[in-house]
Amino acid sequence: MIPILRSTPSAIPSIEQHLLALEPPDRFLRFCSNASDDSIHTYVASLNLSDDDVGFHCINDRLDVVGFVHIAVCGGTAELGISVSNSERGRGIGGALFDRAVAFCVATGITVMYMNCLAANAAMQHIARSRSIKTITEYGVSEGAVDLSDRNALLALADSWAHDGLGLYDLNWKLVHQLLTIATTLKSS
């Protein structure tokens, strides 16, 4: 299981750094447009990470955000967007973020989750196929809807708590490791 943290407003600067570090082709796949630095600044400034604007992220050992899922909630539906740093791809982070988004949606009573991506986005297409999500592709854009109405909310809530606990444990472990590294370096000086 890959540790995933619920994004809070304090994580927004790190999320912004993650998105700005995406290469132009990756920005195009994530935002379905040529997202400039200014448009990413505007997008990040619009994040409020509240009940209808939820995010989860994954961090590396240096506490850098290396994956982020944004869930825009509207009534009983949600739409998500996922990004993973190029250096971290192929490790299952995108799939773990997707699964965390599903668990959150089910636990909070959301019945349908939408995903849109460019047909050329092989990573998102793989996530959709591996989770039996049927997508429709028109004009170079693939859209898929996940019916969550038959999922068990209690199991999803337990899964959410387990993910949250693991994410916090992982964060604390990485913080302690960084502090011990700093203390060792200072002691050696």
Side-chain angles (χ1 to χ4, degrees), residues 22-84:
L22 295 173
E23 295 293 324
D26 297 325
R27 289 182 183 192
F28 189 77
L29 292 176
R30 166 57 182 88
F31 295 102
C32 297
S33 69
N34 293 317
S36 66
D37 286 358
D38 286 342
S39 63
I40 289 176
H41 290 305
T42 301
Y43 165 74
V44 170
S46 74
L47 294 175
N48 62 25
L49 300 176
S50 65
D51 293 337
D52 62 347
D53 187 44
V54 180
F56 294 94
H57 63 277
C58 180
I59 58 174
N60 64 14
D61 290 341
R62 294 181 311 279
L63 307 180
D64 302 319
V65 171
V66 295
F68 174 63
V69 60
H70 178 215
I71 308 163
V73 178
C74 182
T77 67
E79 183 175 346
L80 64 87
I82 297 175
S83 57
V84 176

Side-chain angles (χ1 to χ4, degrees), residues 3 6 9 12 14 51 64 71 74 89 109 111 139 149 152 156 164:
R6 172 97 184 238
I12 289 176
S14 297
D51 293 337
D64 302 319
I71 308 163
C74 182
R89 297 210 179 113
T111 56
Y139 307 106
S149 61
N152 186 314
D164 290 347

Side-chain angles (χ1 to χ4, degrees), residues 1 12 14 58 65 74 85 100 107 135 138 143 147 155 186:
M1 182 183 287
I12 289 176
S14 297
C58 180
V65 171
C74 182
S85 298
R100 184 63 184 91
T135 59
E138 292 180 340
E143 296 182 354
D147 180 3
L155 289 177
L186 291 174

